[in-house]
Amino acid sequence: MKDTRSIDPTSLQMLKVAREEGLETAWDRYLAQRPQCGFGELGLCCRNCNMGPCRIDPFGDGPQKGVCGATGDIVVARNLLRMIAAGAAAHSDHGRDVTETLRGVAAGEIKDYTIKDENKLKALALEFGISTEGKTVQEIAGKLAEAALEEFGTRKGYLQAIDRVPSKRKEIWGKLGIIPRGIDREVVEAMHRTHFGVDNDPANLILHGLRCSLSDGWGGSLLATELSDVLFGTPRPVRGRSNLGVLSKEAVNILVHGHEPILSEMLVEAAKDPGLISAARAKGAGGINLVGMCCTGNEILMRHGVPVAGNFLQQELAVITGALEAVVVDVQCIMPALGQLAACYHTKFISTSPKAKFPGAIHIPFNEHNALETAREIIRQAIENYPNRDKNRVFIPEETTEYVAGFSVEAILSALGGTLTPLVEAVKNNKIRGIAALVGCNNPKVTQDYNHVNMAKALIARDVLVIETGCAAIASAKAGLLLPEAAELAGAGLAEVCRALGVPPVLHMGSCVDISRILTVAAALARELGVDIADLPVAGAAPEWMSEKAVSIGAYVVASGIFTVLGTVLPVLGSNVVADLLTRQAKDLVGGYFAVETDPFKAAELIIAHIDAKRSALGI
Ligand code: BF8
């Protein structure tokens, strides 16, 4: 029988090995959970106070209210707001860590990082109203970091980057009262409103959810992206290799997994240390092979072309190759199962963040102040572990696929000759029908990568330029869609543009916080055309999403005016009121709205229909 858990041949091979070795993976645990809790799936379970837990009967036979009197609509709306708040908090705390690092570098307290993109530093300083005249780079960086830290608790009443959006969008947000006032403030208010006995109006709760998510997209995520570019360099197109075949039989393999480039950048640096390379050789290894996974993998593949071993559902499979000397993690999307799994091999599972400890992990605390030395220590431990590898248990799938990544806004502008005008012209003359942003995770509820790859292929074949981040982008890397040669899979118009510019039809724009790059491009395109973001022939999709961060992303993309198709269902179907708000009323309120479509081909059709409607409204 055909194994439908993944379309990735390396995943299928590793799942076979897992079965032979008697090892469980997320797919097995997902099956063991089925049938999953129906109340949870519908969003109808409330645990917000200790009169509960309460659940609302969706069939109308049992209780229709919680102990406090909350209806299903209230419970669903509160639960959704909490998901958004958690997602926004995760992205934004990442943004804070990058901002604190910039502040420390500027103050001379942090020595191991430098400022790699002075032009971007100066441009951002001007955007934040900081004069650069007569100031040193350090001074500008210090002022910018202070201004950025202010964004987390700002009292000026709005976030700086919302000035990037067209005025019509700001008016919409102003009228609805959802202009984000401060990154931390909106998350705190979300938790306050969902505490027992506070906000019990589903629409009011959802509107705050949009505001909270906007503080992520135009705040925390945006700072994470922009200040990472300042510190680590703004990505430019770069070639590399993807999938589990990037692991080496001969070298010390170190997998870096998680999110913040503060750790992964330093590991990239330390892995080049000639002393450590010699130490690896002295242990009989061919060298040091650092590879990435998930979004921290995206950060270093965008900036350095570091090989990426896979996306979310491959983290356990990488360990099962038996070829990993260390899995090094920081925060987010790290399965707690890794500790027990790593113990079945010689693999060291190393946690580094005080915020994220795991059973079975060795904790090596990493912070910006001891960055390089700690990165070296981690690599040393991996090298020491190399002789413990049991060569008889090593199985590395052969498949690797090349990718071209690194399409920051600056790189796209440079490919276009400095302005967005050629892109706008290509859209106007219908060579490019529209743009679709495909983002988000893997989820064992969906055949791994099936939705991502098929949706991307269906869209480019119909001349829709696809831009991607996160695990969606890694799926495309593995499927060969991030290569200029993939233009042959595109429609004639898109293929012509790709060939003229030498770019792939699917552009990798980075990690999940880098969806802020997509917002920036959308805002700039709208300004160029003199319209609102909601008027653009543009759509979003999260075909295999699973995390709360993805819910925050979906909400800020919709609130920014962009139609978004979800490939797995949001836990809101227990409330017609909330489902209607998100899928219908949102269109009138903010221009963007959600649809759910689990079939990638039908989802692509929804996007194409939306793009075509927007084109006709624009008269193009
Ligand atoms: O932030 S796409 S599984 S790795 S949440 Fe996680 Fe989802 Fe991957 Fe990156 Ni984004």
Side-chain angles (χ1 to χ4, degrees), residues 211-460:
R211 173 159 55 182
C212 183
S213 71
L214 288 170
S215 79
D216 169 0
W218 297 93
S221 280
L222 184 133
L223 290 175
T225 295
E226 301 292 48
L227 301 184
S228 289
D229 284 356
V230 168
L231 278 169
F232 311 124
T234 303
R236 302 277 160 203
V238 61
R239 246 175 210 269
R241 287 180 310 128
S242 64
N243 220 342
L244 290 169
V246 301
L247 295 173
S248 162
K249 274 203 180 103
E250 291 83 31
V252 173
N253 289 309
I254 302 169
L255 179 81
V256 55
H257 171 29
H259 280 77
E260 296 182 3
I262 301 161
L263 169 71
S264 50
E265 278 286 325
M266 213 32 74
L267 285 167
V268 171
E269 199 55 42
K272 293 183 208 150
D273 182 328
L276 288 171
I277 296 169
S278 307
R281 295 210 171 113
K283 293 280 177 196
I288 299 168
N289 184 36
L290 183 79
V291 301
M293 178 152 284
C294 285
C295 280
T296 214
N298 280 325
E299 297 279 355
I300 49 180
L301 78 81
M302 286 279 283
R303 295 196 174 88
H304 306 285
V306 169
V308 62
N311 48 5
F312 176 70
L313 277 175
Q314 284 169 298
Q315 56 189 284
E316 292 177 288
L317 307 183
V319 175
I320 296 171
T321 63
L324 285 185
E325 275 56 57
V327 181
V328 190
V329 302
D330 55 7
V331 290
Q332 299 172 22
C333 303
I334 302 143
M335 290 190 196
L338 285 180
Q340 206 183 353
L341 186 64
C344 301
Y345 290 89
H346 74 301
T347 306
K348 286 190 177 181
F349 177 35
I350 301 174
S351 62
T352 59
S353 166
K355 296 174 200 169
K357 295 193 174 179
F358 297 84
I362 306 163
H363 191 70
I364 304 183
F366 177 95
N367 67 52
E368 319 76 59
H369 297 273
N370 63 5
L372 189 55
E373 193 35 50
T374 314
R376 284 202 192 106
E377 175 55 25
I378 289 169
I379 292 177
R380 250 181 243 125
Q381 292 221 15
I383 293 168
E384 286 298 318
N385 198 22
Y386 180 76
N388 298 326
R389 189 192 287 184
D390 178 351
K391 295 204 165 59
N392 297 320
R393 284 184 80 201
V394 170
F395 176 81
I396 303 174
E398 278 172 11
E399 289 82 353
T400 68
T401 313
E402 267 201 300
Y403 65 76
V404 176
F407 290 95
S408 57
V409 179
E410 293 79 352
I412 291 173
L413 280 171
S414 136
L416 292 169
T419 73
L420 284 175
T421 314
L423 179 59
V424 170
E425 286 308 313
V427 172
K428 276 187 182 163
N429 62 30
N430 209 9
K431 289 206 161 98
I432 293 179
R433 190 174 194 154
I435 303 173
L438 268 54
V439 306
C441 325
N442 293 139
N443 185 329
K445 291 176 176 174
V446 179
T447 299
Q448 186 203 9
D449 295 349
Y450 176 83
N451 282 9
H452 288 311
V453 170
N454 285 308
M455 213 169 148
K457 281 186 178 167
L459 287 165
I460 62 173

